[in-house]
mmCIF file of all heavy atoms in Angstrom:
data_model
loop_
_atom_site.group_PDB
_atom_site.id
_atom_site.type_symbol
_atom_site.label_atom_id
_atom_site.label_comp_id
_atom_site.label_asym_id
_atom_site.label_seq_id
_atom_site.Cartn_x
_atom_site.Cartn_y
_atom_site.Cartn_z
ATOM 1 N N SER Q 21 4.478 3.355 -5.996
ATOM 2 C CA SER Q 21 5.335 2.607 -6.911
ATOM 3 C C SER Q 21 4.565 1.385 -7.412
ATOM 4 O O SER Q 21 3.585 0.946 -6.791
ATOM 5 C CB SER Q 21 6.603 2.152 -6.190
ATOM 6 O OG SER Q 21 6.262 1.223 -5.168
ATOM 7 N N LYS Q 22 5.019 0.832 -8.519
ATOM 8 C CA LYS Q 22 4.358 -0.356 -9.064
ATOM 9 C C LYS Q 22 4.369 -1.497 -8.056
ATOM 10 O O LYS Q 22 3.387 -2.226 -7.921
ATOM 11 C CB LYS Q 22 5.042 -0.788 -10.361
ATOM 12 C CG LYS Q 22 4.776 0.150 -11.501
ATOM 13 C CD LYS Q 22 5.475 -0.313 -12.768
ATOM 14 C CE LYS Q 22 5.239 0.708 -13.868
ATOM 15 N NZ LYS Q 22 5.897 0.343 -15.112
ATOM 16 N N GLU Q 23 5.482 -1.640 -7.335
ATOM 17 C CA GLU Q 23 5.591 -2.718 -6.364
ATOM 18 C C GLU Q 23 4.595 -2.540 -5.216
ATOM 19 O O GLU Q 23 3.918 -3.481 -4.804
ATOM 20 C CB GLU Q 23 7.017 -2.791 -5.791
ATOM 21 C CG GLU Q 23 8.079 -3.116 -6.811
ATOM 22 C CD GLU Q 23 8.526 -1.897 -7.644
ATOM 23 O OE1 GLU Q 23 8.245 -0.740 -7.253
ATOM 24 O OE2 GLU Q 23 9.136 -2.131 -8.695
ATOM 25 N N LEU Q 24 4.497 -1.327 -4.703
ATOM 26 C CA LEU Q 24 3.582 -1.072 -3.591
ATOM 27 C C LEU Q 24 2.131 -1.210 -4.044
ATOM 28 O O LEU Q 24 1.299 -1.789 -3.344
ATOM 29 C CB LEU Q 24 3.841 0.311 -2.985
ATOM 30 C CG LEU Q 24 3.039 0.649 -1.735
ATOM 31 C CD1 LEU Q 24 3.270 -0.380 -0.633
ATOM 32 C CD2 LEU Q 24 3.398 2.043 -1.246
ATOM 33 N N PHE Q 25 1.828 -0.716 -5.225
ATOM 34 C CA PHE Q 25 0.458 -0.827 -5.736
ATOM 35 C C PHE Q 25 0.090 -2.292 -5.963
ATOM 36 O O PHE Q 25 -1.046 -2.700 -5.715
ATOM 37 C CB PHE Q 25 0.288 -0.015 -7.019
ATOM 38 C CG PHE Q 25 -1.144 0.109 -7.446
ATOM 39 C CD1 PHE Q 25 -2.079 0.742 -6.645
ATOM 40 C CD2 PHE Q 25 -1.569 -0.421 -8.652
ATOM 41 C CE1 PHE Q 25 -3.407 0.850 -7.032
ATOM 42 C CE2 PHE Q 25 -2.891 -0.315 -9.052
ATOM 43 C CZ PHE Q 25 -3.816 0.321 -8.240
ATOM 44 N N GLN Q 26 1.050 -3.099 -6.394
ATOM 45 C CA GLN Q 26 0.773 -4.523 -6.584
ATOM 46 C C GLN Q 26 0.453 -5.193 -5.247
ATOM 47 O O GLN Q 26 -0.438 -6.033 -5.167
ATOM 48 C CB GLN Q 26 1.953 -5.227 -7.255
ATOM 49 C CG GLN Q 26 1.631 -6.641 -7.703
ATOM 50 C CD GLN Q 26 0.472 -6.696 -8.690
ATOM 51 O OE1 GLN Q 26 0.448 -5.970 -9.681
ATOM 52 N NE2 GLN Q 26 -0.514 -7.538 -8.414
ATOM 53 N N ARG Q 27 1.146 -4.796 -4.177
ATOM 54 C CA ARG Q 27 0.816 -5.313 -2.838
ATOM 55 C C ARG Q 27 -0.615 -4.945 -2.451
ATOM 56 O O ARG Q 27 -1.351 -5.755 -1.886
ATOM 57 C CB ARG Q 27 1.772 -4.744 -1.783
ATOM 58 C CG ARG Q 27 3.097 -5.452 -1.733
ATOM 59 C CD ARG Q 27 3.886 -5.095 -0.491
ATOM 60 N NE ARG Q 27 3.202 -5.603 0.704
ATOM 61 C CZ ARG Q 27 3.224 -4.992 1.873
ATOM 62 N NH1 ARG Q 27 3.869 -3.871 2.032
ATOM 63 N NH2 ARG Q 27 2.596 -5.505 2.903
ATOM 64 N N TYR Q 28 -0.991 -3.704 -2.739
ATOM 65 C CA TYR Q 28 -2.350 -3.207 -2.476
ATOM 66 C C TYR Q 28 -3.366 -4.082 -3.198
ATOM 67 O O TYR Q 28 -4.321 -4.569 -2.609
ATOM 68 C CB TYR Q 28 -2.391 -1.753 -2.954
ATOM 69 C CG TYR Q 28 -3.716 -1.047 -2.997
ATOM 70 C CD1 TYR Q 28 -4.137 -0.273 -1.928
ATOM 71 C CD2 TYR Q 28 -4.521 -1.081 -4.133
ATOM 72 C CE1 TYR Q 28 -5.324 0.431 -1.979
ATOM 73 C CE2 TYR Q 28 -5.713 -0.380 -4.199
ATOM 74 C CZ TYR Q 28 -6.114 0.371 -3.110
ATOM 75 O OH TYR Q 28 -7.288 1.060 -3.166
ATOM 76 N N ARG Q 29 -3.157 -4.291 -4.487
ATOM 77 C CA ARG Q 29 -4.100 -5.080 -5.288
ATOM 78 C C ARG Q 29 -4.117 -6.551 -4.856
ATOM 79 O O ARG Q 29 -5.180 -7.160 -4.773
ATOM 80 C CB ARG Q 29 -3.778 -4.957 -6.770
ATOM 81 C CG ARG Q 29 -4.047 -3.541 -7.286
ATOM 82 C CD ARG Q 29 -3.886 -3.431 -8.778
ATOM 83 N NE ARG Q 29 -4.728 -4.347 -9.518
ATOM 84 C CZ ARG Q 29 -6.024 -4.178 -9.785
ATOM 85 N NH1 ARG Q 29 -6.620 -3.100 -9.360
ATOM 86 N NH2 ARG Q 29 -6.697 -5.063 -10.477
ATOM 87 N N ASN Q 30 -2.954 -7.127 -4.584
ATOM 88 C CA ASN Q 30 -2.893 -8.526 -4.153
ATOM 89 C C ASN Q 30 -3.651 -8.719 -2.837
ATOM 90 O O ASN Q 30 -4.407 -9.687 -2.689
ATOM 91 C CB ASN Q 30 -1.447 -8.990 -3.986
ATOM 92 C CG ASN Q 30 -0.728 -9.153 -5.306
ATOM 93 O OD1 ASN Q 30 -1.335 -9.171 -6.378
ATOM 94 N ND2 ASN Q 30 0.592 -9.250 -5.239
ATOM 95 N N ALA Q 31 -3.429 -7.826 -1.898
ATOM 96 C CA ALA Q 31 -4.120 -7.921 -0.605
ATOM 97 C C ALA Q 31 -5.623 -7.756 -0.799
ATOM 98 O O ALA Q 31 -6.427 -8.470 -0.189
ATOM 99 C CB ALA Q 31 -3.580 -6.879 0.365
ATOM 100 N N PHE Q 32 -6.013 -6.832 -1.667
ATOM 101 C CA PHE Q 32 -7.440 -6.597 -1.924
ATOM 102 C C PHE Q 32 -8.086 -7.855 -2.499
ATOM 103 O O PHE Q 32 -9.121 -8.310 -2.023
ATOM 104 C CB PHE Q 32 -7.625 -5.407 -2.866
ATOM 105 C CG PHE Q 32 -9.053 -5.086 -3.137
ATOM 106 C CD1 PHE Q 32 -9.781 -4.317 -2.242
ATOM 107 C CD2 PHE Q 32 -9.686 -5.568 -4.268
ATOM 108 C CE1 PHE Q 32 -11.111 -4.027 -2.482
ATOM 109 C CE2 PHE Q 32 -11.023 -5.295 -4.510
ATOM 110 C CZ PHE Q 32 -11.740 -4.522 -3.610
ATOM 111 N N HIS Q 33 -7.470 -8.432 -3.515
ATOM 112 C CA HIS Q 33 -8.058 -9.600 -4.184
ATOM 113 C C HIS Q 33 -7.989 -10.865 -3.320
ATOM 114 O O HIS Q 33 -8.782 -11.780 -3.512
ATOM 115 C CB HIS Q 33 -7.402 -9.819 -5.541
ATOM 116 C CG HIS Q 33 -7.769 -8.749 -6.519
ATOM 117 N ND1 HIS Q 33 -9.056 -8.548 -6.971
ATOM 118 C CD2 HIS Q 33 -7.020 -7.790 -7.107
ATOM 119 C CE1 HIS Q 33 -9.090 -7.515 -7.799
ATOM 120 N NE2 HIS Q 33 -7.862 -7.037 -7.896
ATOM 121 N N ALA Q 34 -7.077 -10.911 -2.361
ATOM 122 C CA ALA Q 34 -6.976 -12.058 -1.459
ATOM 123 C C ALA Q 34 -7.897 -11.912 -0.242
ATOM 124 O O ALA Q 34 -7.920 -12.780 0.625
ATOM 125 C CB ALA Q 34 -5.530 -12.234 -0.997
ATOM 126 N N GLY Q 35 -8.623 -10.792 -0.170
ATOM 127 C CA GLY Q 35 -9.510 -10.558 0.962
ATOM 128 C C GLY Q 35 -8.776 -10.159 2.234
ATOM 129 O O GLY Q 35 -9.337 -10.202 3.317
ATOM 130 N N GLN Q 36 -7.515 -9.758 2.110
ATOM 131 C CA GLN Q 36 -6.706 -9.381 3.269
ATOM 132 C C GLN Q 36 -6.589 -7.869 3.421
ATOM 133 O O GLN Q 36 -5.918 -7.391 4.322
ATOM 134 C CB GLN Q 36 -5.303 -9.980 3.131
ATOM 135 C CG GLN Q 36 -5.310 -11.471 3.037
ATOM 136 C CD GLN Q 36 -3.983 -12.023 2.562
ATOM 137 O OE1 GLN Q 36 -3.142 -11.313 2.022
ATOM 138 N NE2 GLN Q 36 -3.799 -13.314 2.751
ATOM 139 N N PHE Q 37 -7.233 -7.160 2.535
ATOM 140 C CA PHE Q 37 -7.121 -5.706 2.542
ATOM 141 C C PHE Q 37 -8.203 -5.146 3.444
ATOM 142 O O PHE Q 37 -9.381 -5.220 3.150
ATOM 143 C CB PHE Q 37 -7.270 -5.166 1.122
ATOM 144 C CG PHE Q 37 -6.992 -3.706 1.016
ATOM 145 C CD1 PHE Q 37 -5.703 -3.264 0.835
ATOM 146 C CD2 PHE Q 37 -8.007 -2.777 1.113
ATOM 147 C CE1 PHE Q 37 -5.425 -1.913 0.742
ATOM 148 C CE2 PHE Q 37 -7.740 -1.433 1.029
ATOM 149 C CZ PHE Q 37 -6.453 -1.001 0.834
ATOM 150 N N ASP Q 38 -7.783 -4.597 4.571
ATOM 151 C CA ASP Q 38 -8.724 -3.970 5.493
ATOM 152 C C ASP Q 38 -8.077 -2.729 6.079
ATOM 153 O O ASP Q 38 -6.944 -2.383 5.740
ATOM 154 C CB ASP Q 38 -9.152 -4.952 6.592
ATOM 155 C CG ASP Q 38 -7.980 -5.485 7.415
ATOM 156 O OD1 ASP Q 38 -6.867 -4.907 7.354
ATOM 157 O OD2 ASP Q 38 -8.172 -6.475 8.128
ATOM 158 N N SER Q 39 -8.787 -2.053 6.958
ATOM 159 C CA SER Q 39 -8.267 -0.796 7.494
ATOM 160 C C SER Q 39 -6.994 -1.007 8.317
ATOM 161 O O SER Q 39 -6.128 -0.133 8.345
ATOM 162 C CB SER Q 39 -9.331 -0.077 8.321
ATOM 163 O OG SER Q 39 -9.750 -0.892 9.395
ATOM 164 N N ILE Q 40 -6.855 -2.150 8.957
ATOM 165 C CA ILE Q 40 -5.636 -2.406 9.744
ATOM 166 C C ILE Q 40 -4.425 -2.552 8.821
ATOM 167 O O ILE Q 40 -3.381 -1.940 9.051
ATOM 168 C CB ILE Q 40 -5.820 -3.652 10.642
ATOM 169 C CG1 ILE Q 40 -6.896 -3.361 11.686
ATOM 170 C CG2 ILE Q 40 -4.502 -4.050 11.294
ATOM 171 C CD1 ILE Q 40 -7.359 -4.574 12.459
ATOM 172 N N PHE Q 41 -4.562 -3.350 7.776
ATOM 173 C CA PHE Q 41 -3.478 -3.497 6.795
ATOM 174 C C PHE Q 41 -3.147 -2.136 6.187
ATOM 175 O O PHE Q 41 -1.988 -1.755 6.065
ATOM 176 C CB PHE Q 41 -3.883 -4.482 5.692
ATOM 177 C CG PHE Q 41 -2.941 -4.493 4.510
ATOM 178 C CD1 PHE Q 41 -1.771 -5.239 4.544
ATOM 179 C CD2 PHE Q 41 -3.219 -3.753 3.369
ATOM 180 C CE1 PHE Q 41 -0.897 -5.251 3.459
ATOM 181 C CE2 PHE Q 41 -2.356 -3.752 2.286
ATOM 182 C CZ PHE Q 41 -1.193 -4.506 2.335
ATOM 183 N N PHE Q 42 -4.183 -1.408 5.799
ATOM 184 C CA PHE Q 42 -4.001 -0.122 5.144
ATOM 185 C C PHE Q 42 -3.248 0.849 6.048
ATOM 186 O O PHE Q 42 -2.254 1.449 5.647
ATOM 187 C CB PHE Q 42 -5.363 0.448 4.758
ATOM 188 C CG PHE Q 42 -5.306 1.616 3.804
ATOM 189 C CD1 PHE Q 42 -4.863 1.446 2.502
ATOM 190 C CD2 PHE Q 42 -5.733 2.873 4.194
ATOM 191 C CE1 PHE Q 42 -4.829 2.511 1.615
ATOM 192 C CE2 PHE Q 42 -5.713 3.935 3.319
ATOM 193 C CZ PHE Q 42 -5.261 3.757 2.020
ATOM 194 N N GLN Q 43 -3.695 1.001 7.292
ATOM 195 C CA GLN Q 43 -3.092 1.969 8.212
ATOM 196 C C GLN Q 43 -1.718 1.549 8.713
ATOM 197 O O GLN Q 43 -0.830 2.379 8.836
ATOM 198 C CB GLN Q 43 -4.015 2.216 9.405
ATOM 199 C CG GLN Q 43 -5.254 2.979 9.034
ATOM 200 C CD GLN Q 43 -6.175 3.192 10.209
ATOM 201 O OE1 GLN Q 43 -5.858 2.857 11.345
ATOM 202 N NE2 GLN Q 43 -7.336 3.755 9.954
ATOM 203 N N ASN Q 44 -1.551 0.275 9.012
ATOM 204 C CA ASN Q 44 -0.309 -0.163 9.639
ATOM 205 C C ASN Q 44 0.799 -0.527 8.658
ATOM 206 O O ASN Q 44 1.974 -0.446 9.016
ATOM 207 C CB ASN Q 44 -0.573 -1.353 10.562
ATOM 208 C CG ASN Q 44 -1.446 -0.976 11.737
ATOM 209 O OD1 ASN Q 44 -1.533 0.180 12.111
ATOM 210 N ND2 ASN Q 44 -2.115 -1.947 12.305
ATOM 211 N N GLU Q 45 0.448 -0.965 7.463
ATOM 212 C CA GLU Q 45 1.467 -1.381 6.504
ATOM 213 C C GLU Q 45 1.524 -0.481 5.276
ATOM 214 O O GLU Q 45 2.585 -0.012 4.896
ATOM 215 C CB GLU Q 45 1.210 -2.832 6.066
ATOM 216 C CG GLU Q 45 1.403 -3.828 7.196
ATOM 217 C CD GLU Q 45 1.281 -5.254 6.708
ATOM 218 O OE1 GLU Q 45 1.816 -5.565 5.632
ATOM 219 O OE2 GLU Q 45 0.645 -6.045 7.417
ATOM 220 N N TYR Q 46 0.377 -0.268 4.677
ATOM 221 C CA TYR Q 46 0.369 0.422 3.393
ATOM 222 C C TYR Q 46 0.638 1.921 3.506
ATOM 223 O O TYR Q 46 1.485 2.464 2.810
ATOM 224 C CB TYR Q 46 -0.961 0.167 2.675
ATOM 225 C CG TYR Q 46 -0.907 0.599 1.246
ATOM 226 C CD1 TYR Q 46 -0.344 -0.233 0.282
ATOM 227 C CD2 TYR Q 46 -1.379 1.844 0.856
ATOM 228 C CE1 TYR Q 46 -0.256 0.164 -1.036
ATOM 229 C CE2 TYR Q 46 -1.299 2.244 -0.455
ATOM 230 C CZ TYR Q 46 -0.739 1.403 -1.400
ATOM 231 O OH TYR Q 46 -0.646 1.809 -2.698
ATOM 232 N N VAL Q 47 -0.097 2.588 4.381
ATOM 233 C CA VAL Q 47 0.028 4.046 4.508
ATOM 234 C C VAL Q 47 1.461 4.475 4.843
ATOM 235 O O VAL Q 47 2.003 5.363 4.176
ATOM 236 C CB VAL Q 47 -0.984 4.622 5.532
ATOM 237 C CG1 VAL Q 47 -0.708 6.086 5.821
ATOM 238 C CG2 VAL Q 47 -2.404 4.454 5.012
ATOM 239 N N PRO Q 48 2.120 3.873 5.832
ATOM 240 C CA PRO Q 48 3.496 4.305 6.129
ATOM 241 C C PRO Q 48 4.442 4.147 4.935
ATOM 242 O O PRO Q 48 5.278 5.013 4.692
ATOM 243 C CB PRO Q 48 3.923 3.396 7.283
ATOM 244 C CG PRO Q 48 2.664 2.928 7.900
ATOM 245 C CD PRO Q 48 1.657 2.863 6.798
ATOM 246 N N GLN Q 49 4.290 3.058 4.185
ATOM 247 C CA GLN Q 49 5.159 2.849 3.025
ATOM 248 C C GLN Q 49 4.881 3.881 1.932
ATOM 249 O O GLN Q 49 5.799 4.410 1.316
ATOM 250 C CB GLN Q 49 4.992 1.432 2.477
ATOM 251 C CG GLN Q 49 5.548 0.384 3.398
ATOM 252 C CD GLN Q 49 5.326 -1.023 2.866
ATOM 253 O OE1 GLN Q 49 4.744 -1.235 1.816
ATOM 254 N NE2 GLN Q 49 5.798 -1.995 3.613
ATOM 255 N N PHE Q 50 3.599 4.166 1.703
ATOM 256 C CA PHE Q 50 3.239 5.133 0.668
ATOM 257 C C PHE Q 50 3.721 6.533 1.047
ATOM 258 O O PHE Q 50 4.294 7.251 0.223
ATOM 259 C CB PHE Q 50 1.732 5.105 0.433
ATOM 260 C CG PHE Q 50 1.270 5.986 -0.694
ATOM 261 C CD1 PHE Q 50 1.880 5.945 -1.942
ATOM 262 C CD2 PHE Q 50 0.216 6.852 -0.512
ATOM 263 C CE1 PHE Q 50 1.444 6.750 -2.985
ATOM 264 C CE2 PHE Q 50 -0.238 7.659 -1.546
ATOM 265 C CZ PHE Q 50 0.384 7.610 -2.780
ATOM 266 N N ILE Q 51 3.520 6.930 2.296
ATOM 267 C CA ILE Q 51 3.986 8.243 2.747
ATOM 268 C C ILE Q 51 5.505 8.336 2.598
ATOM 269 O O ILE Q 51 6.028 9.339 2.116
ATOM 270 C CB ILE Q 51 3.546 8.520 4.201
ATOM 271 C CG1 ILE Q 51 2.032 8.758 4.252
ATOM 272 C CG2 ILE Q 51 4.292 9.727 4.780
ATOM 273 C CD1 ILE Q 51 1.467 8.865 5.651
ATOM 274 N N SER Q 52 6.195 7.286 2.981
ATOM 275 C CA SER Q 52 7.651 7.269 2.861
ATOM 276 C C SER Q 52 8.086 7.448 1.403
ATOM 277 O O SER Q 52 9.000 8.221 1.109
ATOM 278 C CB SER Q 52 8.199 5.962 3.428
ATOM 279 O OG SER Q 52 9.583 5.891 3.255
ATOM 280 N N GLU Q 53 7.421 6.750 0.487
ATOM 281 C CA GLU Q 53 7.739 6.898 -0.939
ATOM 282 C C GLU Q 53 7.551 8.340 -1.397
ATOM 283 O O GLU Q 53 8.412 8.897 -2.081
ATOM 284 C CB GLU Q 53 6.838 5.999 -1.792
ATOM 285 C CG GLU Q 53 7.230 4.570 -1.833
ATOM 286 C CD GLU Q 53 6.379 3.757 -2.800
ATOM 287 O OE1 GLU Q 53 5.493 4.312 -3.500
ATOM 288 O OE2 GLU Q 53 6.615 2.543 -2.854
ATOM 289 N N LEU Q 54 6.426 8.935 -1.025
ATOM 290 C CA LEU Q 54 6.141 10.308 -1.460
ATOM 291 C C LEU Q 54 7.160 11.296 -0.900
ATOM 292 O O LEU Q 54 7.635 12.179 -1.611
ATOM 293 C CB LEU Q 54 4.729 10.718 -1.066
ATOM 294 C CG LEU Q 54 3.584 10.025 -1.796
ATOM 295 C CD1 LEU Q 54 2.245 10.519 -1.270
ATOM 296 C CD2 LEU Q 54 3.665 10.220 -3.291
ATOM 297 N N LEU Q 55 7.486 11.153 0.381
ATOM 298 C CA LEU Q 55 8.405 12.099 1.010
ATOM 299 C C LEU Q 55 9.823 11.992 0.454
ATOM 300 O O LEU Q 55 10.578 12.960 0.503
ATOM 301 C CB LEU Q 55 8.420 11.896 2.526
ATOM 302 C CG LEU Q 55 7.110 12.232 3.252
ATOM 303 C CD1 LEU Q 55 7.218 11.910 4.731
ATOM 304 C CD2 LEU Q 55 6.697 13.671 3.036
ATOM 305 N N LYS Q 56 10.183 10.844 -0.098
ATOM 306 C CA LYS Q 56 11.510 10.657 -0.694
ATOM 307 C C LYS Q 56 11.583 11.123 -2.144
ATOM 308 O O LYS Q 56 12.666 11.240 -2.699
ATOM 309 C CB LYS Q 56 11.910 9.184 -0.635
ATOM 310 C CG LYS Q 56 12.200 8.697 0.767
ATOM 311 C CD LYS Q 56 12.502 7.210 0.755
ATOM 312 C CE LYS Q 56 12.663 6.682 2.161
ATOM 313 N NZ LYS Q 56 12.804 5.215 2.172
ATOM 314 N N SER Q 57 10.437 11.396 -2.751
ATOM 315 C CA SER Q 57 10.387 11.764 -4.164
ATOM 316 C C SER Q 57 10.382 13.283 -4.340
ATOM 317 O O SER Q 57 9.440 13.960 -3.914
ATOM 318 C CB SER Q 57 9.129 11.178 -4.810
ATOM 319 O OG SER Q 57 8.905 11.751 -6.071
ATOM 320 N N GLU Q 58 11.408 13.800 -4.988
ATOM 321 C CA GLU Q 58 11.483 15.240 -5.241
ATOM 322 C C GLU Q 58 10.312 15.704 -6.113
ATOM 323 O O GLU Q 58 9.720 16.750 -5.863
ATOM 324 C CB GLU Q 58 12.814 15.567 -5.922
ATOM 325 C CG GLU Q 58 13.073 17.047 -6.055
ATOM 326 C CD GLU Q 58 14.458 17.330 -6.603
ATOM 327 O OE1 GLU Q 58 15.418 16.629 -6.255
ATOM 328 O OE2 GLU Q 58 14.560 18.281 -7.400
#
């Protein structure tokens, strides 16, 4: 979603985007979005 992608980009540009953020926060939210979308 635009909101989730904006979080991805904000974290990346703030230097906070790493594998821990990606695996623990981003991936679960993205998977949840996909599984809810017909």
